[in-house]
Amino acid sequence: MLDAKDCLARANDMERRAGSCGSARLETDLLSAAATWRYLAQQALWQDAFAAQTVQDSGRD
C-alpha cells in the first residue's frame, strides 16, 4: 500500500504532466487523476492515524 507521501508525489507528477501536455482533454484527465491521488493521500493519512490510535488504545489495558 502506498503512503500519503507516495500518493502526493503521484499527484504532483500528474499535475506536472498536465501542465506540459498539448491536449485540453488529456490535461483534464491528468488533473482529475491528480485530484484522485490527493484524495487517496488523505485516506492514507486517516488510515495511519486510525492504526496509530488503535495501537495506542491497545496498550491501555
Side-chain angles (χ1 to χ4, degrees):
M1 181 177 143
L2 298 175
D3 63 13
K5 184 178 176 180
D6 294 327
C7 292
L8 290 174
R10 290 180 186 231
N12 289 335
D13 182 49
M14 292 292 122
E15 290 168 346
R16 181 188 53 77
R17 290 181 188 193
S20 64
C21 75
S23 164
R25 169 122 182 161
L26 180 57
E27 179 181 5
T28 299
D29 290 344
L30 290 168
L31 290 175
S32 177
T36 300
W37 280 114
R38 291 195 182 281
Y39 172 77
L40 291 172
Q42 289 176 322
Q43 296 300 305
L45 286 173
W46 176 85
Q47 183 173 338
D48 290 347
F50 179 78
Q53 184 63 46
T54 301
V55 168
Q56 185 180 34
D57 288 346
S58 68
R60 292 185 182 174
D61 293 3

